[in-house]
Amino acid sequence: MTEDSTDDSTAMQAGFDALIAGDERVEPRDWMPEGYRKTLIRQIAQHAHSEIIGMQPEGNWITRAPSLRRKAILMAKVQDEAGHGLYLYSAAETLGIDRSELLDLLHAGRQKYSSIFNYPTLTWADMGAIGWLVDGAAIVNQVPICRCSYGPYARAMVRICKEESFHQRQGFEILWTLSHGSPAQRAMAQDAVNRYWWPSLMMFGPPDTGDGASPSGHTAQSMAWGIKRFSNDELRQRFVDMTVPQAEALGLSLPDPEIRWNEERGSYDFGEIDFTELFEVVKGNGPCNAERMAHKVKAHEDGAWVREAAAAYAAKRESAVA
């Protein structure tokens, strides 16, 4: 490496550092460290994959929704999730990677999606639990990303978070209706909350404090770069503090006898999470891992003719213009 190239590299790093220090946005044409780019690709891809895989557990209830109104709302929600995946894959592509490569990595098991979507949806009440708890956790996790240092990701998240807020309200309303219905409906709602509470807490990831006080390596670097704004533990606590009063409003209990208000901390204490389950699900041993991926791969293969036709049409148009 020549002295001039070293100077250029130093100047580009200094420019990037100045953007981060000034809490400004990094844009696709700006120079960025390779580690920053790779971290963003991994995070955005996992987010995009989660939106697409997340269509499955709800999509299988579209034909079984209890009314035409519920069916229309659920269809709109699943459509929103497809749109979220599109925004996020587009954001990832601004980092120099093609979405087809991201999908290949997903299908090969080399990229992940949120563990929560590997749990089955057994009853209609699960649509409420997913909306209230899962989308509620997603909102807590994703609102800070609207201030992410990478511009395309931050801007995509603004619309996504607005739509997720509607999804969360939809889930709350489903559970409200069930919890104020017949004894059987109330029991169904309580059962769904019991099954989805702990997996929802695991959505924020494992304990993220390296020494009990400061974030561990990966999170510390993401926070230094402005990709993340809060640690996993901070976000999980926010979610618990938000959700406990809502559960009381619903008249449903959360399956944790250790939940209680801590006057000194000004937040809720809650029980210890068994992260062994999270790690097993992430490794592919969850209740629906194989089913979700088999369905996704089949859908991708069945849609090959659409991609081929679109590519052929684009090539024909390009040759006609030339």
Side-chain angles (χ1 to χ4, degrees):
M1 182 179 292
T2 66
E3 185 176 337
D4 286 345
S5 63
T6 301
D7 290 342
D8 288 344
S9 178
T10 301
M12 289 186 291
Q13 181 69 57
F16 173 83
D17 292 342
L19 285 175
I20 298 300
D23 203 20
E24 297 182 54
R25 293 276 170 81
V26 178
E27 298 297 341
R29 292 185 180 181
D30 294 331
W31 181 89
M32 63 188 74
E34 186 62 15
Y36 178 83
R37 189 183 78 89
K38 287 183 176 178
T39 297
L40 280 168
I41 288 174
R42 177 184 55 77
Q43 181 171 328
I44 297 172
Q46 179 173 328
H47 193 167
H49 298 330
S50 298
E51 295 286 354
I52 299 302
I53 297 292
M55 298 166 67
Q56 291 187 41
E58 294 176 305
N60 71 30
W61 274 93
I62 289 175
T63 58
R64 297 179 286 167
S67 69
L68 184 59
R69 172 178 174 269
R70 295 293 189 192
K71 186 190 297 286
I73 293 172
L74 186 57
M75 288 177 65
K77 181 183 179 185
V78 173
Q79 179 177 288
D80 283 349
E81 288 160 354
H84 297 173
L86 173 62
Y87 307 151
L88 292 163
Y89 284 130
S90 297
E93 286 183 315
T94 66
L95 291 159
I97 189 166
D98 192 86
R99 74 185 63 188
S100 62
E101 183 179 347
L102 296 177
L103 290 172
D104 288 343
L105 290 170
L106 172 66
H107 298 160
R110 293 171 56 196
Q111 284 187 340
K112 305 296 184 182
Y113 55 90
S114 179
S115 60
I116 194 71
F117 300 118
N118 287 313
Y119 290 88
T121 46
L122 305 178
T123 71
W124 171 251
D126 288 15
M127 299 301 97
I130 288 176
W132 177 48
L133 294 175
V134 176
D135 293 328
I139 290 168
V140 171
N141 193 40
Q142 293 170 12
V143 165
I145 303 176
C146 295
R147 296 190 292 118
C148 172
S149 60
Y150 188 59
Y153 191 21
R155 288 188 288 272
M157 290 311 306
V158 173
R159 177 165 180 171
I160 290 173
C161 286
K162 287 180 179 177
E163 293 178 347
E164 291 289 4
S165 69
F166 284 106
H167 301 170
Q168 198 264 353
R169 293 176 203 174
Q170 174 231 12
F172 185 91
E173 196 265 341
I174 289 174
L175 291 180
W176 174 273
T177 301
L178 292 173
S179 65
H180 290 76
S182 68
Q185 288 174 320
R186 180 180 177 81
M188 184 192 300
Q190 185 63 64
D191 172 67
V193 170
N194 290 347
R195 286 184 287 106
Y196 273 91
W197 172 247
W198 291 109
S200 295
L201 291 186
M202 295 179 200
M203 283 178 65
F204 297 96
D208 197 85
T209 49
D211 58 8
S214 59
S216 58
H218 292 302
T219 292
Q221 182 60 76
S222 290
M223 292 174 72
W225 278 331
I227 297 173
K228 288 189 71 169
R229 297 287 176 169
F230 303 97
S231 72
N232 296 347
D233 294 322
E234 289 174 311
L235 293 170
R236 191 169 10 250
Q237 184 66 61
R238 287 186 177 196
F239 174 67
V240 172
D241 291 344
M242 176 185 81
T243 306
V244 173
Q246 294 177 2
E248 293 172 353
L250 286 169
L252 297 173
S253 61
L254 298 174
D256 181 358
E258 296 184 42
I259 290 179
R260 60 181 56 84
W261 179 252
N262 186 317
E263 193 68 42
E264 184 177 336
R265 291 196 303 117
S267 59
Y268 286 93
D269 293 332
F270 56 96
E272 187 174 348
I273 301 169
D274 180 8
F275 284 105
T276 303
E277 178 182 341
L278 172 65
F279 297 135
E280 282 299 306
V281 174
V282 170
K283 285 191 294 186
N285 300 323
C288 298
N289 288 67
E291 175 186 335
R292 299 286 186 248
M293 282 309 304
H295 186 92
K296 175 67 181 70
V297 171
K298 183 178 185 302
H300 186 73
E301 293 173 348
D302 289 348
W305 70 272
V306 179
R307 296 189 296 277
E308 292 166 3
Y313 178 76
K316 184 177 181 180
R317 292 272 296 180
E318 186 175 338
S319 62
V321 170

